[in-house]
Amino acid sequence: MTETADHPDAYPPSAEFAAAANVDAGIYERAAQDREAFWAEQADHLHWHERWNQVLDWTDAPVAKWFVGGRLNIAYNCVDRHVLEGRGDKVALHWEGEPGDSRTITYSDLLAEVSRAANYLTELGLTAGDRVAIYMPMIPETIVAMLACARLGLPHSLVFAGFSPTALRQRIDDAEARLVITVDGQWRRGNPAPLKEAVDEALLAKGDVPSSVEHVLVVRRVGTEVEWTEGRDLWWHETVAQADPVHEAQAFDAEHPLFILYTSGTTGKPKGILHTSGGYLTQTSYTHRVVFDHKPETDVYWCTADVGWVTGHSYIVYGPLANGATQVLYEGTPNFPDEHRHWQIIEKYGVTIYYTAPTLVRTFMKWGRQIPDAHDLSTIRVLGSVGEPINPEAWRWYRDVIGSGTAPIVDTWWQTETGAIMISPLPGITATKPGAAMTPVPGVTAAVVDEEGKTVRRGETEANGYLVLDQPWPSMLRGIWGDMERYRATYWDRFREQGWYFAGDGAKLDVNGDLWVLGRVDDVMNISGHRISTAEVESALVGHSGVAEAAVVGASDETTGQGIVAFVILTADATDTGSAMVDELKAEVARAISPIARPREIHVVPELPKTRSGKIMRRLLRDVAEGRELGDTSTLVDPQVFEAIRAGRSD
Ligand code: WTA
């Protein structure tokens, strides 16, 4: 590695940053020497009603038990504790609504709100173990609802508010939720978009088949008229807001389920990833403290993720609140009313830690540096990235323009399944490299291996490998809701002999042994940091009567990382075969899944490339979608098929 003044390959922290950092370099060795003692030390940052008697029980692998015998309450740790320790007046949330309204919520306020909600959910007859679906935008009540569920031991299942009624119903059914919490509507670029209506539609989606839902609890956000089902629907302001603001938290077992969060797999059916309590809170709070170098007294933290994704769960709700953070919560899009919005918010609240996704960084680059340059961003001292590999050009821009050329960037690799950050630089220690996630965080180990499970050699760029996690970690998933067989098959079968977790990502180690994550090696696409499976989009497409067969690939995209490209064969009775059909199909996918799954391109083709065993060769379709020369076509049944596909491409 060469270092030159204008293009250094590695960026060490400044001496001042390193000296003031929460942890020093010795932490890696301490963790490696005795991993369990290390994790016990991290768990001791939390309040336990009863301390555990065993750190890890791995005898039921691949289902781990962490902090066996320990009892705690997650909401007590995230809220009550701070108030009881005299920090009730500290701001928990600086909430910024899209239309420009704002609210300041202290830890005392949060305690009262969460207690009211817990009292009312109890009044509704919900008891520990019952599931609650939450279909809400970025407003404080969403966090209140999550914490109230956690307080009562009700596993919540957040469904991203951009998902369709069909997707919502699928998730409600799978978890058999008794309650849905939602809003009348959400603000989207100045317009109210209905959400309660989507819940109504979801609950009716299967005609006569009733759902498990008994009540729909509705927060009034936009003030539009909504249909009302007497007996089932309840207004938040008439119920929760009137409830008693005092509630005593009970302790739950460390392994009590905390939430289910659905994520795309390689089949059309989303997987309900199950997370539990003690280990999850230990690792989310620990990583939030060390990876962002978070200092609760002085930092103003902002994670721009939506609370409906895992990043929102772990780094807006549980990790930061367990650490008593003061944070920004923003309801809207980055360009409403204009592209200055994020920078205005940073200036207004003096944000010091900013955590976002590479796709947004690339969007900011496209809008131009004159926009952030018009603002004082000097308060920023740590920048974070998550969701996909960050390209070096975006990394450098992020550091120079948003981080004043000095803020360390933590490129954090993790997954819905891992629950918390696994691989990342530590900002006061690591000399970071643009585009590399670098090293597992202390307490975590990972390896890059080939098909046979042999460690790949450093610096061997040709022989990239698979990323595996070779030891259990506290915030690991405990299974797939209702389908433990799929849990084993998806993550543990690939390297069954070794007992490793297969992450589904490709990776390489450079000559220094630093780790670079290269992206998915399975049929999961990454669109603006959102995981969408090719199978899900394919099944939405063939759901249309005009489509006989569909194949979907993720093609590289300058802004969104990947874009969805579909190839479809139409049925004989498809009335339209041109651009109207393509538009209709795009709309159909958006309707069936979500606008985020809308294909960038759909090509109507006469045939799809298949192997002799009938498997669609996506690799070749990707070559076509990215305009490359075709790779090896020798295993195709009919190598001529591509001439037909190319001739028939209609953009
Ligand atoms: C990808 C988001 C490279 C990866 C927290 C992973 C990344 C998937 C990074 C999980 C990163 C996430 N560098 N790739 N820093 N972070 N990924 O479940 O492919 O929505 O498997 O969790 O995103 O996406 P998920």
Side-chain angles (χ1 to χ4, degrees):
M1 292 267 138
T2 51
E3 277 202 28
T4 63
D6 48 352
H7 269 304
D9 280 302
Y11 296 72
S14 70
E16 299 89 296
F17 194 107
N22 286 348
V23 289
D24 60 49
I27 189 174
Y28 286 101
E29 215 182 293
R30 285 204 304 283
Q33 264 167 15
D34 189 342
R35 248 170 50 90
E36 292 190 15
F38 177 80
W39 282 117
E41 203 183 294
Q42 306 316 319
D44 271 330
H45 284 264
L46 304 177
H47 174 88
W48 294 82
H49 281 72
E50 260 171 65
R51 209 168 185 276
W52 61 89
N53 45 47
Q54 188 185 354
V55 175
L56 167 67
D57 177 358
W58 190 227
T59 50
D60 265 345
V63 182
K65 291 192 194 76
W66 280 87
F67 308 112
V68 183
R71 294 179 70 78
L72 79 173
N73 185 288
I74 297 290
Y76 181 95
N77 271 284
C78 291
V79 188
D80 305 41
R81 187 162 63 117
H82 308 307
V83 177
L84 292 170
E85 289 169 8
R87 296 185 297 274
D89 292 338
K90 186 176 197 292
V91 175
L93 301 172
H94 287 297
W95 176 72
E96 189 77 8
E98 194 198 74
D101 49 343
S102 60
R103 279 164 71 185
T104 304
I105 297 172
T106 64
Y107 276 93
S108 293
D109 298 335
L110 196 58
L111 177 58
E113 295 299 310
V114 172
S115 300
R116 284 183 211 276
N119 281 323
Y120 185 66
L121 297 189
T122 305
E123 204 179 308
L124 275 181
L126 294 161
T127 56
D130 288 343
R131 276 80 61 201
V132 175
I134 300 179
Y135 186 58
M136 292 174 81
M138 295 283 283
I139 59 173
E141 286 82 356
T142 311
I143 295 179
V144 170
M146 291 168 78
L147 291 169
C149 288
R151 192 175 189 89
L152 298 173
L154 311 170
H156 55 64
S157 160
L158 270 93
V159 180
F160 173 58
F163 273 127
S164 67
T166 321
L168 172 61
R169 176 63 185 262
Q170 193 178 22
R171 287 157 175 77
I172 286 173
D173 286 352
D174 189 75
E176 296 172 281
R178 288 184 66 190
L179 173 72
V180 180
I181 309 180
T182 189
V183 286
D184 52 353
Q186 60 174 335
W187 289 112
R188 271 292 162 259
R189 294 177 207 279
N191 298 310
L195 225 57
K196 165 69 165 59
E197 198 179 300
V199 174
D200 291 340
E201 212 182 308
L203 297 184
L204 288 174
K206 291 192 175 168
D208 292 341
V209 184
S211 76
S212 50
V213 172
E214 294 158 31
H215 291 289
V216 179
L217 182 54
V218 189
V219 175
R220 185 141 73 197
R221 170 60 185 137
V222 294
T224 48
E225 284 278 312
V226 290
E227 296 269 327
W228 210 247
T229 304
E230 284 306 327
R232 185 195 72 183
D233 298 348
L234 307 155
W235 280 116
W236 177 284
H237 59 265
E238 290 174 357
T239 56
V240 174
Q242 311 299 327
D244 186 350
V246 179
H247 178 272
E248 198 184 327
Q250 306 297 315
F252 292 97
D253 191 274
E255 286 299 333
H256 190 82
L258 177 62
F259 65 84
I260 305 167
L261 184 60
Y262 288 85
T263 186
S264 292
T266 52
T267 70
K269 189 175 186 287
K271 301 175 286 199
I273 303 300
L274 175 68
H275 282 287
T276 60
S277 303
Y280 173 80
L281 199 63
T282 296
Q283 194 173 336
T284 50
S285 60
Y286 154 70
T287 48
H288 178 257
R289 186 167 58 245
V290 303
V291 172
F292 300 107
D293 190 45
H294 177 254
K295 300 188 173 13
E297 304 303 320
T298 45
D299 275 319
V300 178
Y301 166 84
W302 184 13
C303 166
T304 71
D306 191 281
V307 73
W309 306 113
V310 75
T311 306
H313 284 58
S314 301
Y315 296 104
I316 294 176
V317 184
Y318 295 109
L321 294 178
N323 291 341
T326 292
Q327 63 180 317
V328 167
L329 183 72
Y330 171 52
E331 182 182 34
T333 50
N335 54 352
F336 186 86
D338 59 34
E339 291 87 3
H340 290 267
R341 194 69 191 263
H342 273 213
W343 322 122
Q344 279 161 347
I345 292 175
I346 289 173
E347 266 184 322
K348 177 172 172 187
Y349 296 109
V351 170
T352 58
I353 304 171
Y354 180 74
Y355 188 28
T356 196
T359 185
L360 201 56
V361 175
R362 289 191 296 267
T363 302
F364 293 145
M365 284 172 78
K366 222 165 50 185
W367 291 343
R369 71 170 291 162
Q370 74 284 356
I371 295 173
D373 278 351
H375 300 271
D376 175 10
L377 306 180
S378 62
T379 49
I380 288 187
R381 61 179 204 92
V382 179
L383 293 171
S385 173
V386 62
E388 54 175 312
I390 180 165
N391 49 310
E393 193 196 352
W395 194 102
R396 291 200 167 89
W397 189 92
Y398 194 28
R399 182 177 160 106
D400 287 346
V401 179
I402 311 304
S404 311
T406 53
I409 296 179
V410 287
D411 176 2
T412 63
W413 177 88
W414 59 294
Q415 309 176 300
T416 305
E417 292 86 342
T418 70
I421 294 169
M422 301 293 284
I423 304 176
S424 171
L426 295 186
I429 300 172
T430 316
T432 53
K433 295 175 186 170
M438 302 296 293
T439 330
V441 297
V444 169
T445 58
V448 182
V449 301
D450 66 13
E451 292 278 350
E452 275 88 53
K454 288 209 258 326
T455 309
V456 301
R457 291 220 311 274
R458 290 177 175 196
E460 219 167 71
T461 46
E462 291 309 307
N464 296 327
Y466 299 114
L467 178 57
V468 296
L469 301 169
D470 55 359
Q471 306 226 47
W473 63 100
S475 64
M476 70 194 293
L477 75 167
R478 302 299 198 265
I480 293 178
W481 185 260
D483 197 348
M484 291 309 276
E485 200 31 59
R486 188 175 179 196
Y487 169 59
R488 287 195 172 81
T490 309
Y491 305 106
W492 303 94
D493 267 7
R494 184 72 175 259
F495 296 105
R496 191 201 318 228
E497 259 171 54
Q498 298 88 343
W500 295 338
Y501 170 91
F502 173 56
D505 279 311
K508 67 172 187 187
L509 295 174
D510 66 19
V511 287
N512 312 111
D514 292 323
L515 199 148
W516 300 65
V517 179
L518 303 169
R520 304 288 308 187
V521 294
D522 54 12
D523 293 332
V524 174
M525 300 174 287
N526 191 326
I527 316 297
S528 298
H530 300 318
R531 270 167 75 168
I532 299 169
S533 81
T534 54
E536 252 175 309
V537 180
E538 285 164 5
S539 94
L541 286 166
V542 297
H544 188 284
S545 61
V547 176
E549 231 184 311
V552 167
V553 295
S556 56
D557 186 288
E558 227 174 78
T559 308
T560 59
Q562 283 190 311
I564 302 179
V565 179
F567 298 84
V568 297
I569 302 176
L570 299 181
T571 54
D573 48 68
T575 46
D576 185 281
T577 54
S579 64
M581 181 61 154
V582 166
D583 290 345
E584 194 178 317
L585 291 176
K586 286 184 182 174
E588 172 61 18
V589 177
R591 197 200 57 75
I593 307 172
S594 158
I596 55 177
R598 184 190 198 89
R600 185 185 77 188
E601 296 161 36
I602 295 183
H603 304 291
V604 175
V605 296
E607 260 181 280
L608 290 170
K610 289 192 181 148
T611 61
R612 286 174 181 80
S613 61
K615 228 174 136 252
I616 292 173
M617 295 199 64
R618 283 172 214 286
R619 180 175 52 79
L620 296 178
L621 287 175
R622 221 170 288 129
D623 288 343
V624 175
E626 293 176 349
R628 266 194 309 273
E629 284 297 304
L630 288 187
D632 180 13
T633 58
S634 60
T635 53
L636 278 180
V637 180
D638 174 13
Q640 303 303 316
V641 65
F642 276 101
E643 295 315 312
I645 289 180
R646 286 209 162 120
R649 266 181 73 147
S650 63
D651 291 60

